[in-house]
Amino acid sequence: MDLQALFTIYKESQLSGRYITNKHIQPILEEYKGVCDVRVEGRSVLGKPIYSILAGTGDIRIFIWSQMHGNESTTTKAIFDLLSFLNSEDAFAKTLLGHFTLYILPILNPDGAEAYTRVNANAVDLNRDSVYLSQPESKVLRKCFEEFKPHYCYNMHDQRTIFGVGDAPMPATVSFLSPAYNDEREINDSRQKAINLIAAMNDTLQEHIPGQVGRFDDSFNINCIGDMFQSLGVPTVLFEAGYYQGDHEREITRKFIFFALLSGINAIYENVIAVNRSEEYFNIPQNKIVFYDILFKNVKINYENKEKITNFASQYREVLFDNSVIFQAIISEIGNLDTMHGHAEIDCNGAEFSTDEGNKMPKTD
């Protein structure tokens, strides 16, 4: 299966960039109404529709939701790339739709998506609301889960640029987690299936982004939706779309999420995930916070009226402006920073720091 060729052909051209809302996906949903079951499953805090897409007629049911955090849109783009392929005339796509039924909530948190925030309109993190179900979006997700009775769950997220793979200076472009189902982080049949599925997807990704696949910490928290669904006996996989070199818009990362989605579905179809692959899964390096967006080295500053050579790091703040996301660099750390890396590193060779106001000492935000 030539994943690169499939992505090139079927990438959803109507979606791009970081800012993805209901307004962006509604024209696509209109197109799919003739080939998929498109519904409104409920409403957000501010009354926006929470859409679902039902694709396929097969016996194996996969439940997928994205933008639980409103500003995490990369996986939403990849889901529509996948749907573009599955709804094509490709023979293998038709085979998959006869083997699987996919139930997709493309934007679970439409209020957060429009405001470009992690939380919903009540300032609640929906991924910490799986027990109390205090929010309308959380209730929609649980209702769909209980009615659909999935065999697999895909919990789709973005991750920040701060994460690297182990101690190596490689960004965590894609990360996975098979969530724990209890405090002891034991492996039962449900979690084992998720582990085996991740190992299969990792095999594919290592061919394209070697050394850039990470594994999230599996500490148990029943308030997290992935941990909850795993504890309810459904193999659940957390997808995290991270940073690829130079790709702040996550247009390259969306491709690798598409690769993971399609290769994972193919692994289930070919029934190659029955073998215990725990060792391979736990050998995927764990995510670590080792990156800043920009690292300035050997900068001369004036500290307490003394000249000093130091380093400082900048992180991009993502700001919604005129219906698009812009990146504002802020100084986040000053000091040695020997254990950290920069996605961009600039050796200032002793050049003096100063601002337009004449300040000789940078201020952290």
Side-chain angles (χ1 to χ4, degrees):
M1 185 164 51
D2 188 341
L3 292 170
Q4 178 62 57
L6 292 177
F7 178 78
T8 300
I9 295 168
Y10 296 109
K11 176 183 177 182
E12 178 50 70
S13 61
Q14 297 180 70
L15 297 178
S16 62
R18 299 295 293 274
Y19 189 53
I20 306 294
T21 69
N22 272 0
K23 293 178 183 177
H24 297 92
I25 69 170
Q26 282 164 345
I28 307 171
L29 296 177
E30 285 297 319
E31 295 173 7
Y32 282 152
K33 283 183 178 179
V35 292
C36 299
D37 185 0
V38 177
R39 306 176 188 172
V40 174
E41 295 292 351
R43 298 277 171 174
S44 67
V45 171
L46 298 181
K48 294 183 183 65
I50 299 172
Y51 293 105
S52 71
I53 306 163
L54 193 68
T57 58
D59 293 335
I60 299 177
R61 300 181 296 277
I62 303 177
F63 184 37
I64 306 173
W65 63 97
S66 186
Q67 276 182 269
M68 167 177 277
H69 296 141
N71 58 356
E72 298 181 359
S73 59
T74 307
T75 54
T76 304
K77 294 185 290 187
I79 287 169
F80 278 99
D81 298 335
L82 176 68
L83 283 169
S84 175
F85 167 66
L86 291 176
N87 287 305
S88 72
E89 294 302 312
D90 184 274
F92 184 54
K94 292 182 180 298
T95 297
L96 292 180
L97 286 180
H99 195 76
F100 294 93
T101 299
L102 275 59
Y103 190 24
I104 300 167
L105 305 179
I107 300 180
L108 179 64
N109 180 6
D111 297 337
E114 188 161 321
Y116 200 70
T117 61
R118 178 182 176 89
V119 295
N120 75 346
N122 286 333
V124 172
D125 183 340
L126 300 179
N127 202 30
R128 298 296 185 272
D129 192 38
S130 70
V131 173
Y132 296 107
L133 300 177
S134 66
Q135 302 303 302
E137 300 91 346
S138 306
K139 292 173 183 175
V140 167
L141 181 66
R142 180 62 66 85
K143 172 184 73 75
C144 293
F145 170 82
E146 292 177 348
E147 291 178 354
F148 187 55
K149 297 179 174 57
H151 296 102
Y152 296 90
C153 287
Y154 288 179
N155 184 9
M156 313 295 288
H157 290 269
D158 278 27
Q159 65 181 2
R160 296 172 61 196
T161 59
I162 60 175
F163 289 107
V165 176
D167 295 316
M170 298 289 282
T173 301
V174 178
S175 295
F176 295 108
L177 174 66
S178 171
Y181 75 94
N182 62 7
D183 287 322
E184 292 73 28
R185 297 184 281 187
E186 295 173 319
I187 298 176
N188 59 0
D189 181 63
S190 170
R191 192 177 184 208
Q192 186 69 64
K193 287 180 180 177
I195 283 172
N196 297 345
L197 178 55
I198 290 169
M201 291 187 289
N202 181 54
D203 285 345
T204 295
L205 290 178
Q206 291 299 331
E207 297 175 9
H208 301 276
I209 45 172
Q212 292 182 224
V213 179
R215 175 174 54 86
F216 253 81
D217 176 74
D218 62 352
S219 298
F220 179 66
N221 182 352
I222 194 62
N223 292 304
C224 295
I225 195 66
D227 302 49
M228 172 62 79
F229 286 173
Q230 195 88 282
S231 73
L232 293 174
V234 179
T236 300
V237 175
L238 174 74
F239 290 69
E240 293 277 356
Y243 178 74
Y244 183 86
Q245 296 90 329
D247 181 35
H248 289 285
E249 297 290 343
R250 309 285 173 97
E251 289 298 302
I252 299 174
T253 299
R254 76 186 280 184
K255 175 176 70 174
F256 298 124
I257 298 296
F258 170 81
F259 287 6
L261 286 168
L262 190 50
S263 65
I265 290 171
N266 185 54
I268 299 171
Y269 171 71
E270 293 185 347
N271 196 31
V272 297
I273 63 168
V275 177
N276 186 325
R277 301 189 65 179
S278 294
E279 183 176 359
E280 294 164 80
Y281 170 76
F282 286 108
N283 280 336
I284 298 173
Q286 191 163 311
N287 278 0
K288 289 188 177 180
I289 298 176
V290 294
F291 273 106
Y292 291 104
D293 287 321
I294 310 172
L295 194 58
F296 298 88
K297 296 183 175 181
N298 302 311
V299 185
K300 183 190 293 183
I301 62 172
N302 190 310
Y303 180 69
E304 296 181 346
N305 295 317
K306 294 181 181 180
E307 289 187 346
K308 178 181 179 180
I309 300 295
T310 189
N311 309 309
F312 64 87
S314 285
Q315 206 68 27
Y316 285 124
R317 175 185 289 154
E318 298 173 14
V319 179
L320 182 62
F321 178 76
D322 196 22
N323 291 321
S324 63
V325 175
I326 61 174
F327 300 89
Q328 295 180 342
I330 59 170
I331 297 174
S332 51
E333 194 73 33
I334 303 169
N336 194 334
L337 306 178
D338 280 350
T339 62
M340 302 298 289
H341 307 281
H343 293 301
E345 296 191 359
I346 301 170
D347 190 338
C348 297
N349 294 309
E352 186 174 37
F353 174 88
S354 65
T355 66
D356 291 341
E357 294 78 21
N359 298 322
K360 302 297 184 181
M361 177 69 186
K363 294 181 180 179
T364 57
D365 193 329

